[in-house]
Amino acid sequence: MAELVRRFGRPVTGLILATVLLWALLLIVLPQLAMVELSFRPNLPLAQRGGPEDVWTLANYAALWTNSLHRTIFWQTVWSSLLVTLLAFLVCYPVAFHLAHEARGTTALLLVTGLVIPFWVNEILRTFSWFLILARNGLVNQVLLALGLIGEPLALGGTGAVVVGMVYAYVLFMIFPLYNALENLDRNQIEAARDLGASTWRIHRRIVLPHAKPGIAVGCVMTFMLAAGTFAVPQIMQSLPGGTNARWFTQIVYSYFFDGGDWNRGSAYAFALLILCMLFVGAALRVFKVGLRDIAR
Amino acid sequence: MNARGLLRLFLGLYLALFFAYLFLPLVFMVAAAFNASRLPTMLPWEGFTLQWFWGFDARGRPTGLFQDARMGRALLNSLIIGAGVILLSVPLGLAGALLLSSLRSRLKGLLYAVLVSPILTPGVILGISTLIFWQRAFDLGGGLFLVVVGQSTFIASYCMLLFMARLERFDRTLEEAAFDLGARHLQVIRRILLPYLRPAILSACLIAFLQSFENYNTTLFVIGAEDTLTINIATRVRLGLTPAVNAIGVLFIGATVLAAVGYAFLRRREERARTAALARERAAPAAVRPVPAPA
């Protein structure tokens, strides 16, 4: 703190402190607390709020536990998000490695720019582009019909379509952390291992993968969080024929807020989702033995 | 061909496949925007048309994107929100980065965790908690103001990371030298710190705007009865699907390409300036360099 005053003087230090305090309190801490607090209260009509029935309760969380449909959708969201994360990693790893270690000069620059452009295209539009491919009159059906492989358009909706859409929508959140981590791996280490007779597989397992750990952790955390917390992708993919059963947990949360008008239960469900994501972040940081600090790229 | 050559070939093929996977869906989407077919699809091709941008169908009803007044309003809202987010998150991020760069205690770790946590929080939860808090504390409902606040929650964190990355390379001896020469605090900030941070400030503005412009998950919960471009697109995708959505896609991708190229250009210029500065420093005679004070 003393250093702050020395560098910026008292007035500016005060301004900085006040700004950060406002940010941390009004935008981050208090809203989260408000949500958590609301989740432990019953949903009462306005007149009864603050009355004798307005007590702390776990009922909103119990509802998630006892409602088998909601529970199923919750776990389906968890497994699908894990699958999306794993697929995104498998798809990205070879590309990230190539970009960081094989591509040179202009090629590398072009390739990276090629990644940046779809990265900044809206999530909705990215999903929509896959929706168009899988739709009843979409590319897949048109091609299969033209080849005479099918007589009727297939209904391609469902959890699979949602997962495909998500891998496509979030693949770049995996590739950039991986690329950043691999970029500063010393090439000589790979050369040395190769000269000593290590196989490609062994080089990756013993040198490249361990070096990429922070990148893997960040990529997995971002991808999982985006997948578990998305509303856009399942909403769009559900409009596919056969897609209605692919419900996502965030959609239940949304309907409690805007269709059911039960903010309390919606908050409880949202908090459950947040805890899930926090557990995943904690697990990823522990498994890959990296700190929160490495999140900063 | 030996095993390594084969592996290389596979990797090359895979890379081609990967970029096809990234770009072909976008190409199909763009192509469908110019197809006369009433359904948004590239095949079968029924002829080139611009009617999904501006035009009328057989019964004289407007079909184009630019003829839709709601679109214009949504775009305007998106621009207002983007400007608001820049004005809010860039100063927040800057203050956070300056504070963290001067702290050294245990507090630093805690504060860092709090300020970065929104990046690791699902967007829907940021929207929900913003909605609840402002409703309960200030009786404020969803609308443009809450969208700015809700989006800034995490966009400010991104800005902070950008500033921190730049501050890490900041040479503090410059500040010290200025103080030794009698500069006042505000002079040092205005003449040394802010000019040094300028590229990062520009990047932060651009990133903040892009993030805000494309945000859906947070916005959805705090938008109230208003509309933004992204919300509008999502509604169109769900309801009445015409290739007008693809026409939006074309504009969006066009704007994105421009912004991405602009950003790459900024980054390169920054890189060049740094290399040049480094070269100058190397060229300077050793005696002129500041001598580190004994610890």
Side-chain angles (χ1 to χ4, degrees):
Chain A
M1 211 58 73
E3 192 186 335
L4 212 58
V5 177
R6 207 171 54 78
R7 275 183 79 184
F8 303 120
R10 261 173 216 287
V12 178
T13 300
L15 190 67
I16 290 176
L17 284 177
T19 310
V20 174
L21 200 69
L22 278 182
W23 176 18
L25 282 183
L26 282 185
L27 265 58
I28 303 174
V29 176
L30 290 179
Q32 295 297 334
L33 286 180
M35 183 184 85
V36 173
E37 201 259 352
L38 197 67
S39 75
F40 286 106
R41 288 184 179 281
N43 181 34
L44 296 170
L46 205 57
Q48 291 175 31
R49 283 195 198 146
E53 280 167 67
D54 201 352
V55 290
W56 301 105
T57 170
L58 285 171
N60 294 317
Y61 292 92
L64 174 57
W65 190 252
T66 50
N67 186 323
S68 70
L69 177 65
H70 291 179
R71 214 175 49 212
T72 310
I73 292 175
F74 181 79
W75 288 117
Q76 193 182 317
T77 303
V78 174
W79 296 126
S80 304
S81 304
L82 286 174
L83 183 64
V84 169
T85 311
L86 180 70
L87 287 176
F89 173 70
L90 292 179
V91 167
C92 287
Y93 181 74
V95 181
F97 179 74
H98 179 86
L99 276 181
H101 282 276
E102 314 272 326
R104 291 261 171 277
T106 323
T107 325
L109 192 74
L110 266 177
L111 290 180
V112 173
T113 314
L115 290 177
V116 169
I117 289 170
F119 182 73
W120 282 115
V121 173
N122 203 307
E123 178 186 359
I124 306 267
L125 287 173
R126 266 184 281 171
T127 314
F128 178 59
S129 69
W130 265 92
F131 170 86
L132 293 181
I133 291 176
L134 299 175
R136 169 169 282 273
N137 57 335
L139 203 69
V140 172
N141 274 326
Q142 296 278 1
V143 168
L144 290 179
L145 282 170
L147 291 175
L149 290 175
I150 52 171
E152 281 282 297
L154 300 172
L156 294 166
T159 313
V162 175
V163 169
V164 166
M166 279 192 196
V167 172
Y168 184 68
Y170 303 134
V171 90
L172 296 161
F173 289 90
M174 179 67 88
I175 208 161
F176 281 114
L178 280 181
Y179 171 70
N180 285 339
L182 285 174
E183 208 187 6
N184 58 20
L185 168 63
D186 188 355
R187 254 190 93 71
N188 291 327
Q189 281 192 37
I190 301 176
E191 293 300 330
R194 192 165 281 146
D195 290 346
L196 292 171
S199 65
T200 304
W201 162 247
R202 201 177 159 90
I203 290 173
H204 279 270
R205 198 166 52 91
R206 300 294 293 274
I207 297 174
V208 185
L209 278 172
H211 187 83
K213 266 182 185 175
I216 300 175
V218 174
C220 288
V221 163
M222 292 306 285
T223 310
F224 181 84
M225 186 271 288
L226 286 166
T230 183
F231 187 82
V233 182
Q235 188 193 27
I236 291 172
M237 287 314 212
Q238 264 166 19
S239 313
L240 286 172
T244 38
N245 61 343
R247 290 195 70 190
W248 215 248
F249 192 65
T250 46
Q251 295 178 303
I252 306 177
V253 177
Y254 181 86
S255 65
Y256 271 126
F257 272 88
F258 297 104
D259 303 331
D262 189 345
W263 283 26
N264 304 75
R265 187 156 300 172
S267 299
Y269 280 33
F271 190 49
L273 183 67
L274 182 61
I275 290 179
L276 171 74
C277 289
M278 278 159 55
L279 285 177
F280 187 85
V281 172
L285 294 185
R286 179 155 292 201
V287 166
F288 295 108
K289 297 200 181 61
V290 293
L292 202 56
R293 189 140 295 259
D294 297 301
I295 301 287
R297 38 184 191 120
Chain B
M1 191 185 278
N2 62 6
R4 262 185 78 190
L6 203 64
L7 201 70
R8 243 197 204 155
L9 184 72
F10 270 121
L11 197 63
L13 278 179
Y14 181 78
L15 223 69
L17 215 65
F18 178 80
F19 277 93
Y21 168 71
L22 276 190
F23 278 96
L24 282 185
L26 299 178
V27 171
F28 296 149
M29 181 168 72
V30 167
F34 300 100
N35 188 358
S37 164
R38 262 189 56 246
L39 292 163
T41 174
M42 192 179 78
L43 293 171
W45 185 257
E46 293 178 13
F48 179 86
T49 179
L50 287 175
Q51 66 168 319
W52 309 120
F53 293 89
W54 184 281
F56 299 90
D57 64 5
R59 277 190 266 167
R61 286 173 307 191
T63 53
L65 168 70
F66 296 123
Q67 288 144 296
D68 188 338
R70 284 220 343 256
M71 268 297 301
R73 185 156 174 75
L75 175 64
L76 186 66
N77 279 343
S78 282
L79 294 176
I80 294 172
I81 291 167
V85 167
I86 289 177
L87 287 178
L88 186 57
S89 7
V90 174
L92 290 182
L94 182 57
L98 288 177
L99 179 56
L100 285 177
S101 74
S102 308
L103 283 182
R104 229 176 292 277
S105 51
R106 289 262 301 276
L107 190 70
K108 181 176 178 173
L110 179 70
L111 192 64
Y112 179 82
V114 170
L115 295 183
V116 162
S117 68
I119 293 182
L120 304 173
T121 308
V124 293
I125 289 173
L126 297 177
I128 288 170
S129 54
T130 304
L131 179 70
I132 293 174
F133 173 68
W134 291 81
Q135 174 90 55
R136 293 177 77 191
F138 304 101
D139 203 20
L140 252 171
L144 296 192
F145 174 74
L146 273 204
V147 176
V148 170
V149 171
Q151 290 184 352
S152 296
T153 308
F154 74 97
I155 293 178
S157 310
Y158 278 117
C159 292
M160 184 183 84
L161 292 183
L162 277 175
F163 288 128
M164 283 177 77
R166 179 126 183 113
L167 281 173
E168 232 164 57
R169 298 192 303 262
F170 180 55
D171 184 1
R172 289 268 190 97
T173 50
L174 286 176
E175 278 183 353
E176 300 299 330
F179 283 131
D180 289 347
L181 293 173
R184 279 167 294 136
H185 287 296
L186 279 179
Q187 278 178 318
V188 173
I189 292 172
R190 211 162 46 100
R191 304 288 281 275
I192 294 177
L193 189 63
L194 288 183
Y196 175 77
L197 285 175
R198 218 178 79 100
I201 293 174
L202 285 177
S203 294
C205 289
L206 190 64
I207 297 275
F209 184 80
L210 284 175
Q211 287 264 6
S212 161
F213 203 71
E214 72 142 13
N215 184 272
Y216 180 71
N217 290 318
T218 302
T219 308
L220 183 69
F221 282 83
V222 280
I223 188 67
E226 290 287 343
D227 212 1
T228 69
L229 199 59
T230 315
I231 301 273
N232 187 287
I233 298 172
T235 318
R236 275 162 188 274
V237 169
R238 258 182 318 139
L239 316 166
L241 202 59
T242 75
V245 181
N246 299 59
I248 305 178
V250 172
L251 300 181
F252 233 98
I253 292 174
T256 306
V257 170
L258 281 182
V261 170
Y263 184 66
F265 181 73
L266 266 181
R267 286 287 287 265
R268 275 210 40 188
R269 217 175 57 172
E270 185 190 337
E271 201 86 6
R272 276 215 198 111
R274 201 160 72 222
T275 328
L278 213 65
R280 268 204 306 279
E281 195 180 303
R282 288 231 179 88
V288 183
R289 282 193 218 159
V291 180

